Amino acid sequence: MVRTPLTPEERLRGERLGLLLRQARAGRSMAAIAAHAGISAETLRKIETGRAPTPAFFTVAALAGALGLSMDELLVSCAAVPEVVPLAG
């Protein structure tokens, strides 16, 4: 099966998610957070570094719970920034 290439927006959203997770971890070990979320430390590392920019919903939900983040907070922080289109005139 061939995977569809990610759009620039998907990559950017993945980078934002990774940054937010790193900030929320705030010095706690990657292994401890990953274990609490029920994922491997390598999976968390890939998400945090942007190598896995589109993790499954349940993975994100588990990480949010382990880090004390709300899904709403993640959505707002990682949502695509709307493109500004100049008005024709």
Side-chain angles (χ1 to χ4, degrees):
M1 180 165 106
V2 176
R3 213 172 192 192
T4 305
L6 296 174
T7 66
E9 292 81 18
E10 288 170 325
R11 290 187 189 280
L12 184 58
R13 197 168 42 242
E15 290 172 11
R16 282 193 217 115
L17 175 62
L19 178 61
L20 179 64
L21 294 176
R22 281 192 307 277
Q23 290 172 341
R25 200 162 43 83
R28 293 178 278 179
S29 83
M30 188 176 286
I33 295 300
H36 189 266
I39 64 171
S40 71
E42 182 59 24
T43 296
L44 178 54
R45 181 181 289 94
K46 286 178 181 178
I47 295 168
E48 284 190 359
T49 60
R51 288 182 20 229
T54 57
F57 173 82
F58 292 106
T59 301
V60 174
L63 285 168
L67 292 167
L69 298 170
S70 73
M71 292 300 285
D72 288 339
E73 185 176 4
L74 285 174
L75 177 64
V76 169
S77 297
C78 299
V81 177
E83 185 179 330
V84 177
V85 179
L87 297 174

